[in-house]
Amino acid sequence: MLFRSWLEGWHHEHNTFLSGLSHTQLTALVQRMKAWYESELMVTKRMRTAGVQFLAGTDVSQWNHMVAGASLHDELARMVEAGLTPLEALLTATINPATYLRIEDRAGTISVGKRADMVVLDADPTERIQNSRRISAVVLGGRLIDRAALDTLQIGRAHV
């Protein structure tokens, strides 16, 4: 299973990305990564101020230890950290992509005749973006998957 191989690839014995680095080198790398992260937040803030529209889309790969789907919630939180409102962050994963792809007549919002793939949440994500993780149910392809059914799904060793 692909996901299982990704998980196994994250174990230190398979992932040699940082192997051989001294404590000093690791410390310096962490400092550079933090500086890069802060610069990314600043660029995002400046782009938002300039009126740039954003699209959510985490680049998931084996080497960056991200899981498709789950990483979207992290991305939304980072957008809020960078100055977007929770609603603006949510739009990057809903209306903005549909508009960009010119399919807003079929997707991006909930209305009659549109594709109805969506998550049902237990709390308002416009009040607190972390509430996007409070998934009560999923509607996928016209099928309702409630929380109990979601809790039984497994991909590799990770629960959905």
Side-chain angles (χ1 to χ4, degrees):
M1 171 178 256
L2 175 63
F3 191 80
R4 184 175 305 273
S5 71
W6 278 30
L7 288 174
E8 290 169 358
W10 295 349
H11 291 281
H12 65 88
E13 65 268 11
H14 301 289
N15 187 338
T16 60
F17 177 66
L18 300 175
S19 66
L21 295 181
S22 69
H23 177 68
T24 301
Q25 291 170 316
L26 283 173
T27 300
L29 177 61
V30 168
Q31 289 173 344
R32 285 194 309 273
M33 290 171 68
K34 286 179 180 179
W36 171 81
Y37 181 76
E38 291 300 321
S39 71
E40 290 291 314
L41 290 177
M42 183 56 66
V43 167
T44 303
K45 288 177 185 180
R46 292 175 69 190
M47 290 172 68
R48 178 184 178 264
T49 299
V52 172
Q53 294 291 305
F54 294 93
L55 303 176
T58 308
D59 291 332
V60 175
S61 71
Q62 186 171 356
W63 68 268
N64 66 13
H65 301 113
M66 292 182 175
V67 176
S71 62
L72 175 64
H73 300 286
D74 295 333
E75 183 176 6
L76 296 176
R78 298 301 163 260
M79 288 184 183
V80 171
E81 185 179 355
L84 279 72
T85 67
L87 178 58
E88 289 170 328
L90 291 168
L91 295 177
T92 71
T94 55
I95 296 169
N96 293 2
T99 301
Y100 176 78
L101 295 170
R102 297 186 180 133
I103 59 169
E104 60 269 32
D105 61 324
R106 300 186 306 274
T109 58
I110 300 169
S111 61
V112 175
K114 290 189 177 184
R115 192 171 103 195
D117 295 344
M118 64 182 167
V119 293
V120 179
L121 304 175
D122 287 329
D124 185 353
T126 64
E127 291 179 7
R128 186 171 180 267
I129 196 62
Q130 290 77 5
N131 289 339
S132 70
R133 294 179 182 273
R134 297 188 54 190
I135 299 170
S136 173
V138 172
V139 178
L140 182 61
R143 183 175 151 234
L144 177 68
I145 308 168
D146 66 16
R147 182 74 257 167
L150 290 171
D151 288 341
T152 67
L153 296 177
Q154 289 190 27
I155 302 175
R157 289 174 274 172
H159 285 293
V160 176

